[in-house]
Amino acid sequence: MKVATTHRRFMEWTEAGLWRRLHQAVLDELGSRGMIDWSRAMLDGASLRAKRGTGNRPEPGRSRQARFQDPRLSDRSGTPLAVGISAANTHDNAALKPLVLAIPAIRSRRGPRRFRPTKLHADKTYDVAELRDWLRNRGIVPRLARKGIESSTKLGRHRWVIERTIAWLSGYRRLTIRYERYGTLFRGFLTLAAALTATRNSPSETSSNTATTGCNLMGSASGS
């Protein structure tokens, strides 16, 4: 298959929401088997280099090299529930609401679908009173590290989970540096990687076909 054809099809699949539906299908499979731990969720982000893309101007006083933010949210075991991207000059705490709202309604072993964790853990960057109130109004207990009160040692008891998830997603070469001009395409790669990462916790007999198909698509699309 030619590179131009692969790139065109990847764009068509991304616009059609294929990667989002794939991620949803994997999460539904995990949820139906009780393999998503809703007792607490973890939120953090990473700053990555960007060779292309708009809206990536650095903040005043920082390096002139183009960068962008890559926030992720996972359950207690590290399964990625929602991912996103934003410009480097956007404050990290601006990603909290969009990521929480982006958690899909996931099938449960018993009862209705679920999309709200019991608690949400995040570092001191997200220590904003308005965000705490917003989470409480949605029935989520905020566990946001408080500035000047909680030590980084205590925070690390839970933060290592989301850092491990970030490391898993960063293992895909296509996500190390952003080359895509359009953010929707990079988000497509990121969502596909989240679906593949989620299969790490799914039963092998039900996830092998999904993982194999996703790996083949990831490899073909990376040539674009």
Side-chain angles (χ1 to χ4, degrees), residues 5 14-16 22 40 68 75-76 80 112 125-126 128 132 139-140 150 152 173 183 191 205 216 223:
T5 302
T14 300
E15 292 175 357
L22 176 63
R40 68 179 83 243
F68 72 101
D75 75 340
R76 185 172 186 172
T125 303
Y126 304 89
V128 181
R132 292 179 181 274
I140 302 174
E150 298 182 65
S152 58
R173 181 173 57 85
T191 305
E205 64 271 16
N216 291 336

Side-chain angles (χ1 to χ4, degrees), residues 38-213:
W38 291 101
S39 61
R40 68 179 83 243
M42 318 295 173
L43 172 64
D44 203 354
S47 178
L48 304 178
R49 294 173 56 193
K51 293 292 186 179
R52 286 186 172 184
T54 58
N56 297 311
R57 295 179 179 178
E59 297 180 13
R62 291 195 176 185
S63 171
R64 296 296 300 174
Q65 186 173 22
R67 307 187 72 85
F68 72 101
Q69 298 291 338
D70 187 8
R72 296 99 184 260
L73 187 149
S74 75
D75 75 340
R76 185 172 186 172
S77 65
T79 301
L81 302 178
V83 294
I85 60 173
S86 64
N89 56 0
T90 302
H91 199 284
D92 290 357
N93 60 34
L96 187 148
K97 291 182 180 180
L99 280 182
V100 172
L101 294 175
I103 300 176
I106 302 172
R107 187 180 303 157
S108 301
R109 176 181 289 181
R110 303 181 186 88
R113 290 176 176 269
R114 184 168 181 175
F115 57 93
R116 294 178 184 173
T118 303
K119 304 176 184 178
L120 178 64
H121 288 256
D123 60 25
K124 300 177 183 179
T125 303
Y126 304 89
D127 183 21
V128 181
E130 191 270 337
L131 292 179
R132 292 179 181 274
D133 293 338
W134 185 83
L135 289 172
R136 292 192 184 99
N137 290 337
R138 295 186 61 82
I140 302 174
V141 179
R143 286 291 185 263
L144 311 178
R146 294 167 292 180
K147 299 175 182 177
I149 298 178
E150 298 182 65
S151 66
S152 58
T153 303
K154 182 178 180 181
L155 178 62
R157 293 170 52 190
H158 302 294
R159 184 173 178 176
W160 68 270
V161 175
I162 186 62
E163 290 181 342
R164 182 185 61 180
T165 301
I166 292 175
W168 282 342
L169 294 174
S170 299
Y172 295 99
R173 181 173 57 85
R174 191 70 182 190
L175 301 179
T176 304
I177 300 176
R178 173 178 166 177
Y179 292 96
E180 286 71 30
R181 183 181 302 276
Y182 302 105
T184 53
L185 296 183
F186 186 85
R187 186 180 290 109
F189 279 114
L190 184 58
T191 305
L192 174 56
L196 296 177
T197 301
T199 61
R200 291 171 180 258
N201 293 332
S202 60
S204 59
E205 64 271 16
T206 60
S207 67
S208 58
N209 292 335
T210 302
T212 300
T213 301

